[in-house]
């Protein structure tokens, strides 16, 4: 199991086939006995779930998409903005930026719009196209 895009191995992913399950090692590999054609389901923290079919020969390689977006919110002069609510448009889960303006938001769909809200600043919107980093600059009300 690897991360989509980077190919980084995914340790601690859970691989399930029927009633059997196993956790991947530090190199992203796992051994699980399953019949050819059986469907495997894989989950890992910070990633979308994936599934695949056991091949007739060889190993099955699955790529899981990271679904955590991180970034920093600043104002025009580059000063970090703390306390900004960051959330995906249409979803109820949200986080606030830290004192240094950083945030980390889990469960973000591949195609999403991030919303940035803070009193004294204009509402911010940012379209995501699968990227894992989303820095944003807020404009203060004048």
């Amino acid at each position: 199991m690897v991360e989509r895009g980077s190919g980084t191995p995914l340790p601690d992913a859970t691989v399930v086939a029927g009633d059997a399950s196993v956790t991947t090692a530090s190199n992203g590999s796992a051994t699980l006995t399953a019949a050819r054609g059986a469907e495997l389901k894989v989950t890992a923290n910070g990633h979308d779930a994936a599934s695949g079919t056991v091949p007739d020969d060889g190993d099955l390689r699955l790529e899981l998409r990271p679904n955590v977006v991180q970034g920093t919110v600043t104002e025009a002069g580059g000063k970090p903005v703390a306390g900004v609510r960051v959330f995906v448009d249409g979803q109820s889960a949200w986080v606030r930026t830290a004192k240094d303006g950083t945030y980390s938001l889990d469960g973000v769909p591949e195609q999403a719009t991030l919303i940035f809200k803070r009193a004294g600043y204009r509402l911010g919107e940012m379209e995501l196209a699968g990227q894992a980093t989303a820095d944003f600059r807020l404009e203060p009300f004048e």
Side-chain angles (χ1 to χ4, degrees):
M1 306 313 139
V2 296
E3 185 170 278
R4 187 170 88 187
S6 71
T8 303
L10 288 174
D12 302 320
T14 301
V15 183
V16 177
D19 294 334
S21 69
V22 66
T23 302
T24 57
S26 61
N27 65 357
S29 69
T31 301
L32 182 68
T33 303
R36 289 183 206 132
E39 184 175 350
L40 299 181
K41 296 183 180 182
V42 182
T43 56
N45 277 343
H47 296 79
D48 288 344
S51 62
T53 303
V54 175
D56 290 339
D57 291 313
D59 295 333
L60 174 64
R61 174 186 166 106
L62 290 176
E63 295 184 356
L64 281 72
R65 185 188 77 84
N67 62 15
V68 177
V69 173
Q70 299 176 337
T72 303
V73 179
T74 57
E75 58 184 30
K79 180 181 171 191
V81 182
V84 178
R85 282 185 52 195
V86 182
F87 57 95
V88 174
D89 191 24
Q91 292 186 354
S92 59
W94 57 273
V95 295
R96 284 202 191 274
T97 57
K99 288 181 183 180
D100 62 357
T102 60
Y103 70 92
S104 180
L105 184 62
D106 296 338
V108 177
E110 190 165 9
Q111 301 297 319
T113 300
L114 287 185
I115 305 295
F116 301 85
K117 287 178 87 171
R118 174 81 163 91
Y121 294 88
R122 296 186 187 282
L123 179 71
E125 293 186 18
M126 178 183 211
E127 298 269 334
L128 294 178
Q131 70 257 37
T133 302
D135 295 333
F136 193 80
R137 181 165 290 168
L138 281 177
E139 295 181 32
F141 283 125
E142 304 258 340

